[in-house]
Each structure stands twice: as C-alpha cells, then as structure tokens.
Amino acid sequence: MELEEKNPDPKYGESRKFDPNFKGPIHNRGCTDILCCILFILALLGYFAVGILAWSQGDPRKVIYPTDSRGQFCGQAGTPLEKKPLLFYFNILKCASPLVLLEFQCPTTQLCVERCPDRHLTLVKAKLGSKDDREYYQQYCKPGVDFTKQSPPEILRDGLCPAMLMPSKALNTDHLLPPQSHRRCLPALGTMKGGVVVVGNETTFDAGQGVNINATEVLEASKKSNMVVEARQVAMRIFEDYTQSWHWILLALVIAMIVSLIFIVLLRFLAGVMVWVMIVLVILVIGYGIFHCYMEYASLKGEPGADVTIRDLGLQTDFSVYLQIRQTWLAFMIILAIVEFIIILLLIFLRKRILIAIALIKEASRAVGHVMSSLFYPLLTFALLSVVIAYWAITAVFLSTSNEQVYKVFNTSECEYSRETCDPKTFNTSNASAQCPDAECLFAFYGGETLYHKYLILFQFYNVFLFFWCANFVTALGQVTLSGAFASYYWAFKKPDDIPAFPIFSSLGRALRYHTGSLAFGSLILSVVQVIRVILEYLDHKLKGAQNKFAKFLLSCLKCCFWCLEKCIKFLNRNAYIMIAIYGKSFCTSARDAFFLLMRNIIRVAVLDKVTDFLLFLGKLLIVGIVGIFSFFFFSGRIKAVEDAAPSLNYYWVPILTVVVGSYLIAHGFFSVYAMCVDTLFLCFLEDLERNDGSAERPYYMSQNLLTLLKKSNEEAKSVD
C-alpha cells in the first residue's frame, strides 16, 4: 500500500520514526520563544502608551467642524461660536490662488457667521447707508469694529471687514452630521440662457474702491475653494449611505453567515454531493453575471452618451455614471468571461485530483462533526480582529488630529515675511505688519514644533506596524488553536472515544500558556514584510507623476517580490503553527520540520493539498456571488416587490461593495475552519505514513476513508512522477 518513492533527499531531514508513546499533541511541553514573548508584551505596552498620548493630544472635531482664521470651530456646541455654524470668506476671489492646492487654505480671512449674506453690499455703501445696513454688514466683520470711529480705508487696512458682500448660500458638505457642522458660504452662482454666469442675477459687482469683478471670476474662485472640501464631501456622502443602509447591510451579512453555516453543515453530511453542486453553481452564477452584463450592454445601444469611453469620462465621484456607458458593462463581461474560462479549464485538468480532494474534504467533515465547537471559533477571531481594527482606527484619527494651530503670514504683494509662522495676538505690533501693510496672520493648518509633534510621524508608523502585528497574532492564535483540536481528533486511535473533552479550549489554553512567543515571532516576520509592502505602495503613489521609468520598473519588481515573499511566509507560518500545536517546539524548529516534511512528500502536496484549497475557494466564491447578486438587485431598486423598502442612497455601490467584502470575510471565516482542518489532517496524514506501516505492531491512525485516499493518491502520484 505504501507508495514506492525514491529515498528522500537527506538535505530535507530524516523521516519520522515509530514511537509507541506518541498519541497526538504533546501535553508535557514548555514555553517557547520567551524573548519574543517579552518583546511582544513590551510592544503592546508601548502601543497603549501611544494610544493614551494620542487621545490626550488629539481632537477629532478638527475633521468634523470648519475652522475660522483663528482656528476656532464653527458651530461647536458649548463654545461662543455655537450659534455661528457657517464659514464666511472675506474675499472668495483669493481662493483661486494656487496656495489653496498647496496648503488647503484660502489666503483670506475666514469668519464664523450665523447666516450667509443674501444681498450685494459694499463696505462704503454700508458706512454711508442706514443703521440697518451697518448692523447687517457688521455681522460679517471681526468683533470690535466701530463704523462710527473708523473709516473704510482703516477698516480694510486692518482686515476687520470684507470689502463687499455678495449673495451666497450655505454649501453643506455633510448631510449626516448636525446642520451646524461643515457648512461654508459660497456665492449663489447660476447661469442664464446662453450660459452666462450670474451671482444673484448680476453678472458684475462693485467690489468697492472703484473695482468691478465679473461673476465668472467668482465661479473660478468657488471651484478652487470647493476643491478643498470635495474629497471630504465624497467621504461624508459615503458615510451617510452607511447610516441609511447599515441595517440592510447587517441583514445581508447575517444572511451570508446563515448561508455559510448551512453550507458547512451540508458539507458535513453530503461532502461529495455538495462539492459538485458547488462547482456547478459557481459556473452558473458567473455565467449569469456574463449574461446580465451583455443585456445591460445591449440595452444601452443607441442611448445618448452611452458610447462615451471611460477615459473620456475621467474620474467621477458619482460612480453610477459609469454604469450608464456601454464600455463599463463590456469590461465587466470580458472579466467575468475570463474568470469563467479559467475555472472551467482548471476543472478539466484537475478532474481526477478533485475526486481525491473530495475524499480529504469528507474526512475533514467528520473531524468538524466531532469538534463542532470549531465552527464557532471564527466568532472569537472576528471579535478580536474588530477590537484591533477599532483601536488602530481610533488611535490613527486622534494622532492625525493632535496637531496645534499654525498661523502664517498671508499677503498679496512682495513681503519677506510671506508664509512665515506668526502669532495673531501680537501680529499687529510685529515687524511683519509694519513692513507689509496688506499682510494678515491667518490660520494655515494644524502642525506643531514640540517634541511630540516632531515624532508624530513615527507614532503613526508605530500604530500601523502594531496593527499588522496584532492582527497577524490573532490570526495565528486561531490557526494554532484549530490545528491543535483537529490533531487531537486525528491521533485518537478509537474515534470518538479517545478524543479529549473540549479540544478547542484545551488547544487555546496550550497556545496562550506556552506559545505566545512563537505566535508573536511568526506574526512579527509577516508584519515586517507587510509594512514594507505598504511603504512600497506609498512610494508608488508618490511616483505616479514621475518620469523616471527605471525607478517605476524597480519599484514594480520590488512590489512583486515582496508580494511573493508574503505568500511564502504565510504558507510556512501556517504549517509551522500546526507543528507547534502538535509537538510544542519553537517557531523556527517547527517551521523547519513542517517544510522538510512537505518537501519529503512534495508529490502528495501537489496532488492533494492545493486542489482542496481550490475547491474551498470556489465555495467562498459561490456564497459571495449569491449574496452579491441579491444585494445588487435590492440596493439598485430593481426588485419591484421591495422597491419601496430600498433606502435612498447617494452611491448604491457603497452597501453592495460592503456586503460583497463582508460576505467574503464571513465565508472565509467559516471555510477557514475547513481549510485549517484539511491542512492539519494532511500534515498528520504525512506524519502517520512516516511513523507507521499499517501492520498490527505499527497501525495507521488514519480512517478507512484516508486509507482509500492513500491508494488513490499513490496511483495519481505515480502518474505524475
């Protein structure tokens, strides 16, 4: 029955020897990789310290409320500006300056006001006009201005009031947050017949001091000002869509969880049938996607604007626009057709190995049936990962908002103090004010020169690095826990009598008590590679506009190499964790033993292991496809029966994409139990072949199902060899 192979290469170590005392995962074990355990604990303490420091220094209000020229929040409750929620620009024309794009700040005084001006009025007319005009105009001036004692030139020289007011309206950049947050007064622009731009039905304005401005100039300045908040507008609209659809998203994810659980349960009892049903359904679901894309492509034929190319359309914040052109559906159809072709081709070439892999999945189903608590372990992993992600996100927000208010000198004429840091409290008596009469000390951005602010970028890097380390540690803990439980099942000679009670809890306890250091070591290696990949992605983003072709080529090669390295490390870590769960050795020793064991049985690895992974991936694809298709029809309002129940959204792709990604993560969580079970049983299977020969003195621990699998794998391996 044993496969007649050549003697294994001695460089891959000696085969396992028969040990009558070996009964599965070793209980008498000691702590491993203690140094790395201590390092991980110290890193966590440092992470908590960074979080506390960030929470004490940061202020998330800076990304919610607009700030005036003194860095004060407009409309914030409990402050003197609570009833002044709108941000008003003294001279909107200065927002057309390139400085807006460089420093994200208009070089003009900005003031928090109660309401936007609704009429055109100059400072001179207000000064000479009625009391009502002066009181109305004074709303848009700095506190302390006195129209009776100061002349218009003095007021303009000191920057106390704008030269003129024009009809404006509040630009609400956030429909989700309270009405007082994130609104700016911008000119009430419009167009008359013939495309003439107007502001309040006027094409030109008296800006005071004999200067006239055109409404078109105001339009250009408004566009530049709007660019500052446009990206945030998109983010806030997406956030608003989440508030409108979160309960439907949650329902879809619950459905995905139920479908995944049903699929796993059916796989337990009908493994062979379910695998073939899964294969057929995946082909049908992708086939329907191709058919739907073709129907949409055909229905847009002859429609106005449908033949516009994606390149001509450019980047649009409203992604539903792309669904109105034929090229988008053609691209979707081609992508799905390629995926369908690849899957069918793989199924044709792997048809014999699929039958063998089904036998391994059947055995995994039996193992899961005896260790049912393993199906619920992904919930613990999800909970721990949620805590890690939440801590990282909150810390990142507080770190990014922990800068202090920085003021700079803004001016229109030549000035040696231009763009230098200044203090608004003492600016009027400084040399800059004396030498540059038209200069102003305005709030520029949030920064700082303290020791904390100098190392702020390092804190952000530390936050990202610890996020990867903690997330990988949680994943590693799950892998060791599951592999320890399934190894207990495999090495139980009389199943289920010899299976220990509560195998999941026993395995989790061993992992935390003895192998925290080994898990931290493996996750640290993986985290270093992932952080390097993040840095390479950042550099690639920065070099997009560069003309250096060699630098781009080198960067692409590095990205490819580190992607491959990450995949290799994940594979080695996974198998190392299985050996840690069984033998309780250190990470490096376990990784070496697992690698050598696989290399001594490389043919069986090719025949069995990867084909099983492919079948489980198809299962994830099926669940994502089913839930994704239904969510598309629901959120796009194409199901007439529930059309009224569908929420009104800015971008209906937001909940669809969330449901698709969430469904994949949920399906991956449930199928990861099966995948870990298969990998563990496979390594135990190889160990069993090396330790025993099937005789009465050295019987196999494998079941009858795996004995049949062994015969088939021998035949298949011989054909491969």
Side-chain angles (χ1 to χ4, degrees), residues 151-167:
S151 64
E154 290 175 329
I155 293 174
L156 293 175
R157 181 199 64 196
D158 296 336
L160 299 176
C161 293
M164 70 163 181
L165 302 177
M166 67 177 67

mmCIF file of all heavy atoms in Angstrom, residues 151-167:
data_model
loop_
_atom_site.group_PDB
_atom_site.id
_atom_site.type_symbol
_atom_site.label_atom_id
_atom_site.label_comp_id
_atom_site.label_asym_id
_atom_site.label_seq_id
_atom_site.Cartn_x
_atom_site.Cartn_y
_atom_site.Cartn_z
ATOM 1 N N SER A 151 -12.800 104.746 9.462
ATOM 2 C CA SER A 151 -13.170 104.948 8.061
ATOM 3 C C SER A 151 -12.995 103.645 7.297
ATOM 4 O O SER A 151 -12.255 102.759 7.739
ATOM 5 C CB SER A 151 -12.285 106.033 7.439
ATOM 6 O OG SER A 151 -10.931 105.601 7.430
ATOM 7 N N PRO A 152 -13.652 103.474 6.123
ATOM 8 C CA PRO A 152 -13.485 102.251 5.324
ATOM 9 C C PRO A 152 -12.037 101.909 5.015
ATOM 10 O O PRO A 152 -11.654 100.733 5.128
ATOM 11 C CB PRO A 152 -14.295 102.556 4.065
ATOM 12 C CG PRO A 152 -15.376 103.472 4.531
ATOM 13 C CD PRO A 152 -14.712 104.332 5.573
ATOM 14 N N PRO A 153 -11.178 102.885 4.616
ATOM 15 C CA PRO A 153 -9.776 102.512 4.361
ATOM 16 C C PRO A 153 -9.073 101.934 5.593
ATOM 17 O O PRO A 153 -8.280 100.993 5.484
ATOM 18 C CB PRO A 153 -9.126 103.836 3.936
ATOM 19 C CG PRO A 153 -10.248 104.638 3.378
ATOM 20 C CD PRO A 153 -11.431 104.290 4.223
ATOM 21 N N GLU A 154 -9.376 102.502 6.789
ATOM 22 C CA GLU A 154 -8.759 101.985 8.011
ATOM 23 C C GLU A 154 -9.260 100.572 8.321
ATOM 24 O O GLU A 154 -8.485 99.698 8.741
ATOM 25 C CB GLU A 154 -9.077 102.916 9.187
ATOM 26 C CG GLU A 154 -8.382 104.267 9.110
ATOM 27 C CD GLU A 154 -8.828 105.194 10.226
ATOM 28 O OE1 GLU A 154 -9.992 105.085 10.675
ATOM 29 O OE2 GLU A 154 -8.007 106.016 10.658
ATOM 30 N N ILE A 155 -10.557 100.376 8.101
ATOM 31 C CA ILE A 155 -11.139 99.051 8.370
ATOM 32 C C ILE A 155 -10.528 98.005 7.443
ATOM 33 O O ILE A 155 -10.174 96.900 7.868
ATOM 34 C CB ILE A 155 -12.679 99.105 8.210
ATOM 35 C CG1 ILE A 155 -13.289 99.987 9.298
ATOM 36 C CG2 ILE A 155 -13.276 97.700 8.266
ATOM 37 C CD1 ILE A 155 -14.788 100.217 9.130
ATOM 38 N N LEU A 156 -10.368 98.367 6.142
ATOM 39 C CA LEU A 156 -9.792 97.428 5.173
ATOM 40 C C LEU A 156 -8.314 97.206 5.449
ATOM 41 O O LEU A 156 -7.796 96.093 5.275
ATOM 42 C CB LEU A 156 -10.010 97.953 3.756
ATOM 43 C CG LEU A 156 -11.461 97.997 3.264
ATOM 44 C CD1 LEU A 156 -11.545 98.648 1.894
ATOM 45 C CD2 LEU A 156 -12.056 96.590 3.214
ATOM 46 N N ARG A 157 -7.624 98.263 5.877
ATOM 47 C CA ARG A 157 -6.189 98.136 6.178
ATOM 48 C C ARG A 157 -5.954 97.159 7.318
ATOM 49 O O ARG A 157 -5.029 96.343 7.270
ATOM 50 C CB ARG A 157 -5.624 99.516 6.532
ATOM 51 C CG ARG A 157 -4.123 99.521 6.836
ATOM 52 C CD ARG A 157 -3.743 100.765 7.600
ATOM 53 N NE ARG A 157 -4.399 100.802 8.906
ATOM 54 C CZ ARG A 157 -4.502 101.900 9.659
ATOM 55 N NH1 ARG A 157 -4.002 103.065 9.245
ATOM 56 N NH2 ARG A 157 -5.118 101.845 10.839
ATOM 57 N N ASP A 158 -6.790 97.217 8.328
ATOM 58 C CA ASP A 158 -6.643 96.335 9.491
ATOM 59 C C ASP A 158 -7.298 94.974 9.273
ATOM 60 O O ASP A 158 -7.223 94.116 10.170
ATOM 61 C CB ASP A 158 -7.255 96.997 10.734
ATOM 62 C CG ASP A 158 -6.512 98.271 11.126
ATOM 63 O OD1 ASP A 158 -5.320 98.380 10.765
ATOM 64 O OD2 ASP A 158 -7.122 99.143 11.765
ATOM 65 N N GLY A 159 -7.932 94.778 8.108
ATOM 66 C CA GLY A 159 -8.554 93.493 7.807
ATOM 67 C C GLY A 159 -9.715 93.154 8.719
ATOM 68 O O GLY A 159 -9.910 91.983 9.078
ATOM 69 N N LEU A 160 -10.491 94.171 9.094
ATOM 70 C CA LEU A 160 -11.588 93.951 10.040
ATOM 71 C C LEU A 160 -12.874 93.536 9.341
ATOM 72 O O LEU A 160 -13.712 92.860 9.948
ATOM 73 C CB LEU A 160 -11.831 95.224 10.864
ATOM 74 C CG LEU A 160 -10.649 95.700 11.714
ATOM 75 C CD1 LEU A 160 -10.984 97.019 12.394
ATOM 76 C CD2 LEU A 160 -10.285 94.646 12.754
ATOM 77 N N CYS A 161 -13.046 93.958 8.076
ATOM 78 C CA CYS A 161 -14.280 93.671 7.339
ATOM 79 C C CYS A 161 -13.943 93.332 5.896
ATOM 80 O O CYS A 161 -12.891 93.743 5.371
ATOM 81 C CB CYS A 161 -15.231 94.872 7.342
ATOM 82 S SG CYS A 161 -15.911 95.276 8.949
ATOM 83 N N PRO A 162 -14.833 92.617 5.217
ATOM 84 C CA PRO A 162 -14.644 92.402 3.781
ATOM 85 C C PRO A 162 -14.962 93.675 3.011
ATOM 86 O O PRO A 162 -15.711 94.536 3.496
ATOM 87 C CB PRO A 162 -15.646 91.289 3.466
ATOM 88 C CG PRO A 162 -16.720 91.439 4.487
ATOM 89 C CD PRO A 162 -16.039 91.914 5.729
ATOM 90 N N ALA A 163 -14.406 93.802 1.821
ATOM 91 C CA ALA A 163 -14.670 94.997 1.007
ATOM 92 C C ALA A 163 -16.091 95.011 0.493
ATOM 93 O O ALA A 163 -16.673 96.075 0.259
ATOM 94 C CB ALA A 163 -13.682 95.070 -0.156
ATOM 95 N N MET A 164 -16.669 93.842 0.321
ATOM 96 C CA MET A 164 -18.047 93.768 -0.162
ATOM 97 C C MET A 164 -18.670 92.447 0.263
ATOM 98 O O MET A 164 -17.986 91.494 0.635
ATOM 99 C CB MET A 164 -18.094 93.884 -1.680
ATOM 100 C CG MET A 164 -17.544 92.680 -2.402
ATOM 101 S SD MET A 164 -18.025 92.593 -4.116
ATOM 102 C CE MET A 164 -17.219 91.054 -4.598
ATOM 103 N N LEU A 165 -19.984 92.400 0.195
ATOM 104 C CA LEU A 165 -20.758 91.181 0.394
ATOM 105 C C LEU A 165 -21.465 90.858 -0.909
ATOM 106 O O LEU A 165 -21.835 91.759 -1.669
ATOM 107 C CB LEU A 165 -21.797 91.358 1.505
ATOM 108 C CG LEU A 165 -21.292 91.756 2.888
ATOM 109 C CD1 LEU A 165 -22.472 91.946 3.840
ATOM 110 C CD2 LEU A 165 -20.338 90.704 3.438
ATOM 111 N N MET A 166 -21.651 89.593 -1.182
ATOM 112 C CA MET A 166 -22.409 89.185 -2.361
ATOM 113 C C MET A 166 -23.374 88.072 -1.958
ATOM 114 O O MET A 166 -23.138 87.367 -0.963
ATOM 115 C CB MET A 166 -21.481 88.716 -3.487
ATOM 116 C CG MET A 166 -20.721 87.435 -3.214
ATOM 117 S SD MET A 166 -19.733 86.918 -4.636
ATOM 118 C CE MET A 166 -18.516 88.229 -4.696
ATOM 119 N N PRO A 167 -24.473 87.916 -2.680
ATOM 120 C CA PRO A 167 -25.440 86.858 -2.349
ATOM 121 C C PRO A 167 -24.748 85.494 -2.308
ATOM 122 O O PRO A 167 -24.066 85.101 -3.252
ATOM 123 C CB PRO A 167 -26.466 86.940 -3.487
ATOM 124 C CG PRO A 167 -26.348 88.321 -4.009
ATOM 125 C CD PRO A 167 -24.899 88.705 -3.847
#
